[in-house]
Amino acid sequence: MQSEINELANLIISDIKEEALKHGSSYNEAVDYLSTKREKLHSDYKSNPVYAVQIDLITGAIQELKKEAMQLPLKGIKN
């Protein structure tokens, strides 16, 4: 059962990342978009457990976006 929950969470995180990338032209803009969304949920619904799960999923998506951005080659750097 836990593996199914993890798989579902990963699919949701993937969808959240795709949504964020549509709202920004860079990883930084996508992270900013999700950070704003997370902060709004946190300030409006911090005592609601359903929103706490959504906040955790958004946080996971932000972490994934940051990891992906770190894998990109740096432009303008000469070896």
Side-chain angles (χ1 to χ4, degrees):
M1 181 69 166
Q2 186 62 42
S3 64
E4 288 90 355
I5 292 170
N6 290 341
E7 186 177 333
L8 180 59
N10 288 334
L11 288 171
I12 294 169
I13 287 171
S14 179
D15 286 347
I16 293 169
K17 284 176 13 186
E18 286 180 29
E19 173 194 348
L21 289 168
K22 289 178 184 173
H23 284 87
S25 60
S26 69
Y27 280 97
N28 286 338
E29 289 180 9
V31 168
D32 289 344
Y33 169 79
L34 288 180
S35 294
T36 300
K37 188 173 183 174
R38 177 181 62 186
E39 290 306 314
K40 179 162 176 34
L41 284 172
H42 185 65
S43 66
D44 292 346
Y45 305 105
K46 59 180 132 184
S47 63
N48 186 324
V50 172
Y51 289 104
V53 171
Q54 189 174 2
I55 290 167
D56 288 344
L57 291 168
I58 290 172
T59 300
I62 290 170
Q63 292 170 344
E64 290 293 319
L65 285 170
K66 287 180 178 180
K67 284 180 194 174
E68 288 176 21
M70 294 297 291
Q71 299 299 319
L72 295 174
L74 296 175
K75 295 181 181 178
I77 305 274
K78 295 182 181 178
N79 293 335

